């Protein structure tokens, strides 16, 4: 389970993106501009590849408010993805030859 303490501070997120992984699921949090102001975009995808190498169709994203509540909502969303797609993440390590 991903915990809030696994994600760096809001001050860090204001400056750059944050990436991590947990049990076969990789994730990235970044600030993005939207019509409603700045948002926190969270993207998850299966291991073993990084954000830029993984095809778009393998990624899933959601946006949250760019504040502490948004980070907590993002962590909850990532944990939902982790448990709802458990087989996807558990088998992610076997995909080394799947992308060209």
């Amino acid at each position: 389970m991903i915990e809030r303490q696994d994600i760096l501070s809001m001050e860090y997120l204001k400056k750059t993106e944050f990436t991590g992984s947990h049990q076969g699921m990789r994730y990235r949090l970044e600030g993005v501009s939207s019509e409603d102001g700045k948002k926190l975009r969270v993207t998850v995808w299966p291991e073993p590849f990084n954000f830029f190498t993984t095809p778009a169709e393998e990624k899933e994203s959601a946006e949250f408010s760019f504040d502490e509540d948004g980070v907590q909502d993002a962590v909850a969303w990532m944990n939902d993805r982790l448990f709802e797609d458990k087989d996807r993440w558990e088998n992610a390590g076997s995909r080394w030859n799947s992308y060209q």
Side-chain angles (χ1 to χ4, degrees):
M1 186 167 170
I2 301 167
E3 303 285 338
R4 169 59 184 102
Q5 64 206 30
D6 298 329
I7 310 301
L8 292 180
S9 70
M10 284 303 302
E11 292 304 313
Y12 182 90
L13 292 172
K14 288 177 183 177
K15 295 177 183 176
T16 190
E17 69 278 345
F18 175 78
T19 60
S21 65
H22 186 75
Q23 296 181 351
M25 182 181 80
R26 298 219 172 171
Y27 55 87
R28 174 182 163 123
L29 291 82
E30 61 186 316
V32 295
S33 296
S34 74
E35 294 176 4
D36 301 328
K38 195 164 188 176
K39 295 286 187 180
L40 179 65
R41 178 180 294 151
V42 182
T43 305
V44 298
W45 66 95
E47 289 183 342
F49 302 109
N50 69 26
F51 180 81
F52 298 105
T53 307
T54 303
E57 60 270 11
E58 292 289 326
K59 300 173 189 173
E60 184 177 353
S61 297
E63 292 184 359
F64 303 93
S65 60
F66 196 79
D67 56 20
E68 185 58 37
D69 288 340
V71 175
Q72 291 182 20
D73 292 342
V75 168
W77 180 81
M78 289 188 293
N79 283 319
D80 287 346
R81 303 280 64 73
L82 189 63
F83 293 113
E84 289 178 13
D85 296 331
K86 189 173 183 171
D87 290 338
R88 181 180 187 201
W89 315 124
E90 285 179 350
N91 297 315
S94 65
R95 302 170 56 124
W96 280 102
N97 297 321
S98 62
Y99 304 134
Q100 299 296 332

XYZ file of all heavy atoms in Angstrom:
835
model
N 0.839 -1.176 0.000
C 0.000 0.000 0.000
C 0.892 1.250 0.000
O 1.868 1.322 0.733
C -0.899 -0.021 1.222
C -1.896 1.052 1.259
S -3.098 0.636 2.549
C -3.981 2.121 2.622
N 0.553 2.199 -0.835
C 1.290 3.457 -0.896
C 0.794 4.358 0.228
O -0.410 4.464 0.448
C 1.092 4.127 -2.266
C 1.575 3.196 -3.374
C 1.819 5.471 -2.325
C 1.153 3.624 -4.765
N 1.699 4.978 0.935
C 1.360 5.875 2.036
C 1.676 7.316 1.649
O 2.535 7.559 0.804
C 2.177 5.508 3.283
C 2.012 4.075 3.743
C 0.689 3.831 4.444
O 0.086 4.803 4.938
O 0.268 2.664 4.493
N 1.034 8.266 2.286
C 1.313 9.681 2.020
C 2.788 10.002 2.242
O 3.386 10.762 1.487
C 0.419 10.576 2.901
C 0.803 12.057 2.901
C 0.762 12.652 1.508
N 1.216 14.020 1.451
C 2.429 14.386 1.006
N 3.322 13.484 0.652
N 2.752 15.668 0.923
N 3.384 9.399 3.239
C 4.787 9.665 3.549
C 5.734 9.163 2.455
O 6.901 9.552 2.427
C 5.156 9.044 4.890
C 5.058 7.527 4.899
C 4.806 6.970 6.271
O 4.185 7.603 7.109
N 5.284 5.763 6.498
N 5.252 8.336 1.531
C 6.063 7.872 0.408
C 6.241 8.950 -0.661
O 7.125 8.845 -1.507
C 5.437 6.638 -0.252
C 5.348 5.455 0.701
O 6.215 5.338 1.599
O 4.419 4.646 0.538
N 5.397 9.962 -0.633
C 5.419 11.038 -1.625
C 6.106 12.248 -1.006
O 5.828 12.612 0.137
C 3.979 11.427 -2.047
C 3.151 10.191 -2.429
C 4.003 12.453 -3.168
C 3.693 9.368 -3.552
N 6.977 12.884 -1.768
C 7.682 14.046 -1.231
C 6.731 15.217 -1.008
O 5.568 15.194 -1.409
C 8.837 14.434 -2.153
C 9.977 13.407 -2.195
C 11.080 13.877 -3.134
C 10.553 13.141 -0.822
N 7.231 16.261 -0.404
C 6.424 17.405 0.034
C 5.803 18.195 -1.117
O 6.243 18.096 -2.269
C 7.298 18.350 0.857
O 8.241 18.982 -0.003
N 4.838 19.017 -0.779
C 4.231 19.921 -1.759
C 5.284 20.875 -2.317
O 5.238 21.219 -3.492
C 3.082 20.725 -1.131
C 1.805 19.955 -0.931
S 1.135 19.225 -2.449
C 0.922 20.650 -3.491
N 6.217 21.298 -1.498
C 7.278 22.190 -1.971
C 8.077 21.522 -3.094
O 8.456 22.173 -4.059
C 8.193 22.609 -0.817
C 7.513 23.513 0.192
C 6.919 24.757 -0.443
O 7.603 25.420 -1.247
O 5.745 25.061 -0.149
N 8.337 20.239 -2.959
C 9.038 19.500 -4.004
C 8.166 19.420 -5.258
O 8.636 19.665 -6.364
C 9.387 18.092 -3.504
C 10.152 17.279 -4.520
C 11.536 17.303 -4.558
C 9.490 16.475 -5.454
C 12.246 16.569 -5.478
C 10.199 15.736 -6.388
C 11.565 15.792 -6.395
O 12.268 15.066 -7.319
N 6.893 19.070 -5.091
C 5.989 18.919 -6.233
C 5.775 20.236 -6.979
O 5.475 20.227 -8.170
C 4.651 18.339 -5.776
C 4.707 16.885 -5.283
C 3.372 16.483 -4.674
C 5.105 15.946 -6.402
N 5.939 21.353 -6.283
C 5.819 22.652 -6.946
C 6.965 22.883 -7.925
O 6.824 23.637 -8.883
C 5.804 23.782 -5.918
C 4.526 23.853 -5.124
C 4.598 24.946 -4.074
C 3.341 24.968 -3.226
N 3.423 25.978 -2.155
N 8.081 22.210 -7.717
C 9.279 22.429 -8.533
C 9.451 21.418 -9.655
O 9.954 21.748 -10.720
C 10.521 22.403 -7.646
C 10.550 23.528 -6.651
C 11.744 23.428 -5.743
C 11.692 24.546 -4.712
N 12.749 24.463 -3.738
N 9.067 20.174 -9.426
C 9.320 19.129 -10.420
C 8.406 17.933 -10.167
O 7.680 17.896 -9.179
C 10.803 18.706 -10.389
O 11.095 17.861 -11.500
C 11.164 18.012 -9.095
N 8.477 16.966 -11.050
C 7.652 15.761 -10.906
C 8.298 14.796 -9.914
O 9.487 14.887 -9.623
C 7.436 15.076 -12.257
C 8.662 14.435 -12.851
C 9.565 15.401 -13.594
O 9.167 16.534 -13.918
O 10.722 15.014 -13.848
N 7.485 13.868 -9.428
C 7.945 12.843 -8.506
C 7.541 11.493 -9.068
O 6.397 11.303 -9.460
C 7.320 13.050 -7.117
C 7.666 11.958 -6.154
C 8.914 11.927 -5.542
C 6.762 10.958 -5.865
C 9.244 10.914 -4.650
C 7.077 9.944 -4.970
C 8.317 9.925 -4.367
N 8.477 10.546 -9.108
C 8.156 9.207 -9.587
C 8.495 8.181 -8.525
O 9.350 8.408 -7.659
C 8.937 8.866 -10.876
O 10.337 8.943 -10.605
C 8.580 9.811 -12.007
N 7.813 7.057 -8.600
C 8.058 5.970 -7.676
C 7.445 4.695 -8.212
O 6.882 4.675 -9.309
N 7.561 3.643 -7.433
C 6.943 2.373 -7.823
C 6.572 1.590 -6.577
O 7.146 1.795 -5.496
C 7.880 1.558 -8.710
O 9.030 1.167 -7.991
N 5.603 0.707 -6.768
C 5.157 -0.136 -5.664
C 4.532 -1.390 -6.246
O 3.578 -1.316 -7.026
C 4.138 0.622 -4.801
C 3.737 -0.107 -3.574
N 4.554 -0.210 -2.469
C 2.613 -0.790 -3.271
C 3.937 -0.905 -1.532
N 2.762 -1.274 -2.004
N 5.081 -2.547 -5.916
C 4.547 -3.852 -6.285
C 4.201 -3.958 -7.771
O 3.135 -4.429 -8.138
C 3.332 -4.185 -5.432
C 3.665 -4.314 -3.963
C 2.471 -4.661 -3.110
O 1.325 -4.663 -3.572
N 2.722 -4.964 -1.854
N 5.093 -3.517 -8.649
C 4.889 -3.641 -10.090
C 4.194 -2.467 -10.744
O 4.080 -2.415 -11.965
N 3.716 -1.525 -9.953
C 3.049 -0.341 -10.496
C 3.974 0.859 -10.343
O 4.416 1.170 -9.241
C 1.735 -0.058 -9.762
C 0.986 1.142 -10.321
S -0.554 1.501 -9.442
C 0.101 2.362 -8.009
N 4.259 1.503 -11.442
C 5.036 2.746 -11.394
C 4.060 3.913 -11.377
O 2.948 3.813 -11.892
C 5.954 2.831 -12.597
C 6.949 1.685 -12.585
C 8.273 2.087 -13.030
N 9.185 0.963 -12.795
C 10.391 0.914 -13.223
N 10.885 1.918 -13.914
N 11.148 -0.124 -12.968
N 4.513 5.034 -10.813
C 3.644 6.210 -10.760
C 4.456 7.485 -10.894
O 5.651 7.514 -10.628
C 2.793 6.220 -9.490
C 3.545 6.111 -8.195
C 4.052 7.245 -7.553
C 3.731 4.883 -7.581
C 4.717 7.147 -6.349
C 4.410 4.777 -6.371
C 4.898 5.911 -5.761
O 5.566 5.811 -4.568
N 3.752 8.536 -11.328
C 4.368 9.854 -11.513
C 3.352 10.904 -11.092
O 2.201 10.865 -11.513
C 4.739 10.031 -12.980
C 5.256 11.405 -13.335
C 5.537 11.440 -14.834
N 5.664 12.793 -15.326
C 6.722 13.258 -15.959
N 7.760 12.486 -16.185
N 6.749 14.497 -16.390
N 3.774 11.842 -10.261
C 2.948 12.969 -9.855
C 3.605 14.227 -10.393
O 4.815 14.394 -10.277
C 2.852 13.071 -8.334
C 2.067 11.980 -7.613
C 2.914 10.744 -7.411
C 1.562 12.479 -6.288
N 2.807 15.110 -10.992
C 3.349 16.348 -11.561
C 2.285 17.435 -11.544
O 1.098 17.159 -11.642
C 3.824 16.113 -12.993
C 2.705 15.679 -13.924
C 3.187 15.311 -15.310
O 4.027 16.039 -15.866
O 2.703 14.301 -15.833
N 2.725 18.660 -11.434
C 1.830 19.801 -11.516
C 1.591 20.150 -12.969
O 2.523 20.189 -13.768
N 0.315 20.380 -13.334
C -0.044 20.756 -14.696
C -1.009 21.934 -14.648
O -1.781 22.088 -13.707
C -0.674 19.578 -15.482
C 0.319 18.451 -15.686
C -1.917 19.059 -14.794
N -0.965 22.754 -15.680
C -1.891 23.888 -15.779
C -3.188 23.416 -16.408
O -3.180 22.601 -17.323
C -1.280 24.992 -16.629
O -0.119 25.493 -16.010
N -4.297 23.945 -15.903
C -5.612 23.635 -16.466
C -6.443 24.909 -16.476
O -6.018 25.949 -15.959
C -6.303 22.544 -15.650
O -6.763 23.060 -14.425
N -7.613 24.828 -17.034
C -8.513 25.988 -17.063
C -8.877 26.447 -15.657
O -9.167 27.611 -15.431
C -9.781 25.640 -17.841
C -9.546 25.385 -19.297
C -10.803 24.952 -20.021
O -11.889 24.924 -19.398
O -10.706 24.638 -21.211
N -8.868 25.514 -14.710
C -9.232 25.803 -13.323
C -8.028 26.121 -12.445
O -8.136 26.140 -11.226
C -9.982 24.608 -12.725
C -11.242 24.274 -13.491
O -11.865 25.191 -14.042
O -11.596 23.082 -13.534
N -6.872 26.353 -13.046
C -5.662 26.604 -12.272
C -4.751 25.388 -12.297
O -4.902 24.484 -13.110
N -3.827 25.329 -11.390
C -2.870 24.228 -11.343
C -3.515 22.987 -10.739
O -4.246 23.072 -9.752
C -1.643 24.631 -10.530
C -0.477 23.708 -10.717
C 0.803 24.349 -10.219
C 1.984 23.475 -10.604
N 3.246 24.068 -10.247
N -3.233 21.849 -11.351
C -3.743 20.560 -10.893
C -2.582 19.607 -10.652
O -1.475 19.802 -11.166
C -4.673 19.933 -11.953
C -5.945 20.702 -12.201
C -6.884 20.515 -11.061
C -8.233 21.144 -11.385
N -9.174 20.979 -10.298
N -2.839 18.568 -9.901
C -1.888 17.501 -9.669
C -2.299 16.329 -10.543
O -3.363 15.743 -10.344
C -1.886 17.086 -8.194
C -0.941 15.952 -7.814
C 0.513 16.377 -8.010
C -1.186 15.521 -6.375
N -1.487 16.024 -11.552
C -1.770 14.885 -12.421
C -0.959 13.689 -11.925
O 0.230 13.794 -11.677
C -1.402 15.157 -13.863
C -1.656 13.928 -14.765
C -1.300 14.175 -16.197
N -2.205 15.185 -16.729
C -1.871 16.016 -17.711
N -0.672 15.975 -18.260
N -2.740 16.902 -18.144
N -1.660 12.571 -11.797
C -1.035 11.324 -11.381
C -1.213 10.322 -12.505
O -2.307 10.158 -13.032
C -1.683 10.780 -10.088
C -0.998 9.505 -9.647
C -1.643 11.822 -9.001
N -0.122 9.671 -12.866
C -0.146 8.661 -13.921
C 0.438 7.375 -13.364
O 1.454 7.406 -12.662
C 0.684 9.116 -15.138
O 0.209 10.392 -15.572
C 0.582 8.127 -16.278
N -0.221 6.249 -13.664
C 0.290 4.936 -13.268
C 0.471 4.091 -14.524
O -0.231 4.276 -15.515
C -0.641 4.221 -12.259
C -0.750 5.013 -10.977
C -2.015 3.952 -12.839
N 1.442 3.179 -14.464
C 1.686 2.254 -15.572
C 2.448 1.060 -15.017
O 3.050 1.130 -13.936
C 2.467 2.944 -16.697
C 3.859 3.347 -16.350
C 5.002 2.630 -16.593
C 4.286 4.537 -15.675
N 6.100 3.308 -16.122
C 5.690 4.490 -15.553
C 3.620 5.652 -15.162
C 6.426 5.496 -14.943
C 4.357 6.652 -14.552
C 5.737 6.570 -14.456
N 2.447 -0.060 -15.744
C 3.139 -1.250 -15.247
C 4.641 -1.182 -15.462
O 5.125 -0.590 -16.426
C 2.523 -2.388 -16.069
C 2.065 -1.740 -17.330
C 1.673 -0.330 -16.958
N 5.385 -1.796 -14.557
C 6.823 -1.963 -14.743
C 7.033 -2.806 -15.994
O 6.098 -3.423 -16.476
C 7.426 -2.687 -13.536
C 7.452 -1.834 -12.302
C 8.110 -2.526 -11.117
O 8.255 -3.769 -11.129
O 8.480 -1.832 -10.180
N 8.174 -2.852 -16.592
C 9.462 -2.466 -16.051
C 9.988 -1.140 -16.587
O 11.049 -0.699 -16.165
C 10.380 -3.598 -16.509
C 9.824 -3.990 -17.836
C 8.329 -3.792 -17.704
N 9.279 -0.484 -17.491
C 9.850 0.666 -18.178
C 9.477 1.993 -17.548
O 8.521 2.094 -16.788
C 9.462 0.642 -19.657
C 9.916 -0.607 -20.339
C 9.008 -1.573 -20.722
C 11.264 -0.841 -20.547
C 9.436 -2.745 -21.326
C 11.701 -2.011 -21.152
C 10.779 -2.972 -21.541
N 10.222 3.042 -17.909
C 9.970 4.368 -17.356
C 8.798 5.046 -18.055
O 8.234 4.520 -19.013
C 11.242 5.224 -17.399
C 11.658 5.603 -18.805
O 10.857 5.690 -19.739
N 12.943 5.840 -18.987
N 8.463 6.225 -17.593
C 7.323 6.984 -18.099
C 7.432 7.250 -19.599
O 6.468 7.116 -20.341
C 7.229 8.311 -17.329
C 6.101 9.186 -17.759
C 4.820 8.966 -17.288
C 6.312 10.244 -18.626
C 3.770 9.785 -17.662
C 5.270 11.068 -19.009
C 3.996 10.832 -18.531
N 8.611 7.625 -20.050
C 8.779 8.031 -21.446
C 8.851 6.847 -22.401
O 8.511 6.982 -23.568
C 10.027 8.913 -21.577
C 9.907 10.168 -20.768
C 10.607 10.312 -19.582
C 9.067 11.191 -21.168
C 10.475 11.464 -18.818
C 8.926 12.349 -20.404
C 9.634 12.483 -19.232
N 9.270 5.706 -21.937
C 9.380 4.520 -22.779
C 8.062 3.757 -22.893
O 7.810 3.105 -23.895
C 10.469 3.578 -22.209
O 11.672 4.314 -22.027
C 10.735 2.416 -23.126
N 7.232 3.837 -21.896
C 5.973 3.095 -21.862
C 4.958 3.725 -22.819
O 4.738 4.933 -22.778
C 5.408 3.070 -20.433
O 6.395 2.497 -19.569
C 4.128 2.267 -20.348
N 4.309 2.927 -23.667
C 3.294 3.461 -24.585
C 2.121 4.099 -23.827
O 1.756 3.658 -22.732
C 2.821 2.228 -25.356
C 3.887 1.201 -25.178
C 4.522 1.485 -23.852
N 1.530 5.120 -24.433
C 0.426 5.858 -23.806
C -0.740 4.953 -23.435
O -1.391 5.163 -22.406
C -0.044 6.973 -24.738
N -1.012 3.940 -24.249
C -2.159 3.070 -23.971
C -1.957 2.201 -22.727
O -2.912 1.630 -22.206
C -2.503 2.195 -25.179
C -1.406 1.271 -25.632
C -0.478 1.871 -26.678
O -0.534 3.090 -26.939
O 0.321 1.109 -27.226
N -0.729 2.133 -22.222
C -0.443 1.385 -20.995
C -0.581 2.254 -19.745
O -0.510 1.754 -18.630
C 0.972 0.812 -21.047
C 1.156 -0.271 -22.083
C 0.444 -1.562 -21.709
O 0.374 -1.872 -20.505
O -0.035 -2.240 -22.618
N -0.764 3.557 -19.927
C -0.820 4.493 -18.805
C -2.257 4.874 -18.482
O -3.106 4.926 -19.358
C -0.041 5.763 -19.137
C 1.419 5.526 -19.435
C 2.073 6.810 -19.914
C 3.467 6.569 -20.430
N 4.027 7.763 -21.049
N -2.485 5.185 -17.221
C -3.779 5.689 -16.757
C -3.518 6.908 -15.884
O -2.649 6.866 -15.012
C -4.509 4.605 -15.964
C -5.895 5.007 -15.537
C -6.626 3.892 -14.804
O -6.132 2.764 -14.732
O -7.728 4.199 -14.287
N -4.251 8.000 -16.124
C -4.019 9.245 -15.388
C -5.296 9.775 -14.766
O -6.398 9.488 -15.233
C -3.458 10.316 -16.327
O -2.209 9.928 -16.835
N -5.108 10.573 -13.732
C -6.209 11.292 -13.085
C -5.642 12.606 -12.564
O -4.440 12.725 -12.325
C -6.799 10.470 -11.948
N -6.519 13.604 -12.400
C -6.091 14.905 -11.884
C -6.806 15.236 -10.587
O -7.982 14.908 -10.418
C -6.323 15.995 -12.923
C -5.405 15.849 -14.116
C -5.539 16.980 -15.116
O -6.364 17.892 -14.927
O -4.794 16.939 -16.116
N -6.061 15.907 -9.710
C -6.555 16.268 -8.385
C -6.164 17.705 -8.091
O -5.355 18.302 -8.812
C -5.935 15.326 -7.331
C -6.219 13.877 -7.606
C -5.327 13.109 -8.344
C -7.381 13.288 -7.162
C -5.581 11.779 -8.628
C -7.654 11.959 -7.437
C -6.755 11.200 -8.171
N -6.710 18.262 -7.029
C -6.347 19.621 -6.644
C -4.866 19.655 -6.264
O -4.316 18.675 -5.750
C -7.210 20.101 -5.474
O -7.043 19.259 -4.349
N -4.226 20.778 -6.554
C -2.788 20.896 -6.283
C -2.580 21.449 -4.873
O -2.201 22.597 -4.665
C -2.117 21.791 -7.327
C -0.628 21.648 -7.346
C -0.029 20.576 -7.980
C 0.180 22.574 -6.712
C 1.349 20.433 -7.985
C 1.557 22.448 -6.710
C 2.145 21.371 -7.351
N -2.868 20.604 -3.902
C -2.699 20.941 -2.498
C -2.563 19.640 -1.715
O -2.560 18.555 -2.303
C -3.857 21.801 -1.981
C -5.230 21.178 -2.188
O -5.326 19.933 -2.372
O -6.219 21.915 -2.166
N -2.439 19.741 -0.418
C -2.246 18.554 0.408
C -3.415 17.576 0.289
O -3.215 16.360 0.237
C -2.022 18.949 1.870
C -1.696 17.781 2.781
C -0.459 16.992 2.357
O 0.521 17.587 1.887
O -0.482 15.752 2.497
N -4.644 18.098 0.227
C -5.808 17.223 0.053
C -5.721 16.473 -1.273
O -6.077 15.290 -1.361
C -7.111 18.022 0.108
C -7.437 18.506 1.515
O -6.897 17.940 2.492
O -8.239 19.456 1.634
N -5.245 17.145 -2.308
C -5.091 16.511 -3.610
C -4.068 15.391 -3.578
O -4.254 14.347 -4.218
N -2.984 15.580 -2.837
C -1.971 14.526 -2.714
C -2.574 13.317 -2.002
O -2.380 12.173 -2.424
C -0.707 15.030 -1.976
C 0.274 13.887 -1.739
C -0.038 16.155 -2.753
N -3.321 13.565 -0.952
C -3.952 12.456 -0.240
C -4.972 11.740 -1.123
O -5.058 10.508 -1.106
C -4.588 12.962 1.051
C -3.545 13.398 2.054
C -4.124 13.877 3.372
O -5.247 13.584 3.719
N -3.319 14.616 4.123
N -5.728 12.494 -1.918
C -6.676 11.888 -2.869
C -5.926 11.083 -3.926
O -6.375 10.005 -4.333
C -7.536 12.955 -3.541
C -8.508 13.621 -2.587
O -8.772 13.063 -1.495
O -9.011 14.712 -2.932
N -4.787 11.600 -4.373
C -3.975 10.904 -5.370
C -3.451 9.581 -4.812
O -3.466 8.558 -5.506
C -2.825 11.790 -5.824
N -3.000 9.582 -3.580
C -2.515 8.356 -2.944
C -3.653 7.338 -2.852
O -3.466 6.155 -3.158
C -1.909 8.658 -1.555
C -1.666 7.369 -0.770
C -0.620 9.451 -1.705
N -4.836 7.777 -2.480
C -5.992 6.869 -2.407
C -6.318 6.304 -3.787
O -6.599 5.106 -3.927
C -7.202 7.605 -1.825
N -6.269 7.150 -4.820
C -6.548 6.707 -6.189
C -5.511 5.676 -6.636
O -5.858 4.654 -7.234
C -6.569 7.911 -7.129
C -6.845 7.557 -8.552
C -8.076 7.322 -9.113
C -5.879 7.398 -9.606
N -7.919 7.023 -10.443
C -6.593 7.059 -10.773
C -4.502 7.504 -9.660
C -5.956 6.831 -11.992
C -3.862 7.269 -10.872
C -4.591 6.937 -12.016
N -4.234 5.926 -6.341
C -3.193 4.968 -6.714
C -3.399 3.633 -6.003
O -3.228 2.572 -6.603
C -1.803 5.529 -6.410
C -1.396 6.646 -7.344
S 0.334 7.167 -7.155
C 0.336 7.902 -5.520
N -3.779 3.673 -4.735
C -4.039 2.429 -4.011
C -5.238 1.692 -4.593
O -5.239 0.467 -4.675
C -4.219 2.695 -2.520
C -2.895 2.921 -1.837
O -1.913 2.241 -2.113
N -2.848 3.896 -0.940
N -6.264 2.438 -5.031
C -7.395 1.805 -5.715
C -6.924 1.091 -6.973
O -7.317 -0.048 -7.241
C -8.465 2.833 -6.099
C -9.262 3.334 -4.909
O -9.190 2.709 -3.829
O -9.962 4.354 -5.068
N -6.084 1.758 -7.769
C -5.548 1.143 -8.992
C -4.734 -0.103 -8.626
O -4.812 -1.129 -9.294
C -4.638 2.103 -9.767
C -5.273 3.410 -10.170
C -6.165 3.376 -11.415
N -7.366 2.575 -11.345
C -8.480 2.885 -10.648
N -8.560 3.968 -9.926
N -9.530 2.099 -10.690
N -3.954 0.002 -7.567
C -3.099 -1.097 -7.136
C -3.918 -2.344 -6.809
O -3.574 -3.450 -7.212
C -2.285 -0.655 -5.913
C -1.182 -1.572 -5.432
C -0.106 -1.735 -6.497
C -0.571 -1.015 -4.158
N -5.034 -2.170 -6.119
C -5.846 -3.313 -5.712
C -6.809 -3.767 -6.800
O -7.051 -4.957 -6.952
C -6.585 -2.999 -4.407
C -5.645 -2.849 -3.250
C -5.478 -1.623 -2.633
C -4.896 -3.921 -2.784
C -4.593 -1.470 -1.579
C -4.015 -3.777 -1.728
C -3.866 -2.546 -1.120
N -7.347 -2.855 -7.583
C -8.293 -3.231 -8.629
C -7.622 -3.934 -9.804
O -8.237 -4.767 -10.456
C -9.065 -1.999 -9.120
C -10.054 -1.495 -8.105
C -10.788 -0.243 -8.557
O -10.720 0.106 -9.752
O -11.428 0.385 -7.707
N -6.374 -3.604 -10.088
C -5.643 -4.204 -11.210
C -4.482 -5.056 -10.714
O -3.413 -5.091 -11.324
C -5.122 -3.110 -12.146
C -6.225 -2.324 -12.812
O -7.316 -2.893 -13.025
O -5.993 -1.143 -13.125
N -4.681 -5.745 -9.624
C -3.610 -6.480 -8.955
C -2.866 -7.432 -9.896
O -1.635 -7.486 -9.882
C -4.181 -7.255 -7.770
C -3.139 -7.870 -6.898
C -3.750 -8.475 -5.654
C -2.643 -9.015 -4.791
N -3.110 -9.429 -3.490
N -3.563 -8.162 -10.741
C -2.904 -9.090 -11.667
C -1.987 -8.356 -12.639
O -0.917 -8.851 -12.983
C -3.935 -9.899 -12.457
C -4.680 -10.900 -11.596
O -4.164 -11.277 -10.528
O -5.783 -11.309 -11.997
N -2.414 -7.200 -13.084
C -1.602 -6.409 -14.020
C -0.249 -6.054 -13.405
O 0.789 -6.165 -14.051
C -2.367 -5.143 -14.391
C -1.654 -4.263 -15.362
C -2.486 -3.036 -15.662
N -1.883 -2.270 -16.730
C -2.123 -0.986 -16.941
N -2.973 -0.336 -16.176
N -1.532 -0.354 -17.929
N -0.262 -5.640 -12.171
C 0.976 -5.222 -11.516
C 1.843 -6.426 -11.132
O 3.066 -6.380 -11.255
C 0.685 -4.372 -10.292
C -0.353 -3.338 -10.532
C -1.516 -3.174 -9.829
C -0.371 -2.298 -11.527
N -2.233 -2.115 -10.330
C -1.565 -1.560 -11.372
C 0.499 -1.934 -12.551
C -1.905 -0.483 -12.179
C 0.166 -0.858 -13.367
C -1.010 -0.140 -13.179
N 1.205 -7.499 -10.686
C 1.962 -8.679 -10.270
C 2.727 -9.306 -11.432
O 3.784 -9.881 -11.241
C 1.035 -9.714 -9.629
C 0.602 -9.331 -8.233
C -0.331 -10.343 -7.600
O -0.801 -11.268 -8.301
O -0.601 -10.204 -6.399
N 2.189 -9.213 -12.640
C 2.821 -9.812 -13.810
C 3.661 -8.820 -14.604
O 4.164 -9.157 -15.672
C 1.749 -10.431 -14.710
C 1.022 -11.554 -14.010
O 1.644 -12.394 -13.385
N -0.291 -11.554 -14.080
N 3.807 -7.624 -14.111
C 4.501 -6.567 -14.853
C 5.965 -6.897 -15.116
O 6.484 -6.585 -16.191
C 4.393 -5.240 -14.096
N 6.648 -7.524 -14.198
C 8.065 -7.813 -14.355
C 8.393 -8.756 -15.497
O 9.523 -8.803 -15.968
N 7.415 -9.489 -15.987
C 7.644 -10.430 -17.078
C 7.540 -9.768 -18.463
O 7.597 -10.446 -19.474
C 6.653 -11.588 -16.984
O 5.330 -11.096 -17.184
N 7.415 -8.459 -18.515
C 7.149 -7.742 -19.766
C 8.391 -7.139 -20.409
O 8.277 -6.292 -21.270
C 6.134 -6.649 -19.487
C 4.841 -7.174 -18.916
C 3.975 -6.067 -18.445
N 3.755 -5.146 -19.549
C 2.576 -4.789 -20.011
N 1.514 -5.254 -19.454
N 2.475 -3.957 -21.005
N 9.574 -7.570 -20.042
C 10.795 -6.946 -20.545
C 10.879 -6.934 -22.067
O 11.435 -6.014 -22.647
C 12.024 -7.637 -19.984
C 12.328 -7.181 -18.603
C 12.055 -7.852 -17.451
C 12.932 -5.944 -18.216
N 12.450 -7.113 -16.374
C 12.998 -5.941 -16.808
C 13.418 -4.845 -18.925
C 13.540 -4.876 -16.103
C 13.961 -3.795 -18.203
C 14.010 -3.829 -16.822
N 10.361 -7.914 -22.742
C 10.454 -8.003 -24.191
C 9.189 -7.536 -24.904
O 9.039 -7.727 -26.101
C 10.785 -9.440 -24.620
C 12.135 -9.868 -24.108
O 13.077 -9.078 -24.103
N 12.232 -11.099 -23.662
N 8.284 -6.913 -24.194
C 6.976 -6.601 -24.781
C 6.933 -5.309 -25.589
O 6.046 -5.134 -26.392
C 5.912 -6.555 -23.681
O 6.211 -5.526 -22.765
N 7.860 -4.387 -25.394
C 7.853 -3.124 -26.128
C 9.062 -3.068 -27.041
O 10.149 -3.477 -26.686
C 7.911 -1.912 -25.186
C 6.807 -1.884 -24.158
C 7.081 -1.616 -22.825
C 5.497 -2.123 -24.514
C 6.080 -1.575 -21.885
C 4.486 -2.091 -23.576
C 4.778 -1.821 -22.263
O 3.795 -1.785 -21.333
N 8.891 -2.546 -28.207
C 9.995 -2.423 -29.169
C 10.392 -0.977 -29.310
O 9.659 -0.096 -29.271
C 9.576 -2.975 -30.518
C 9.210 -4.451 -30.447
C 10.368 -5.354 -30.056
O 11.518 -5.044 -30.313
N 10.083 -6.455 -29.409
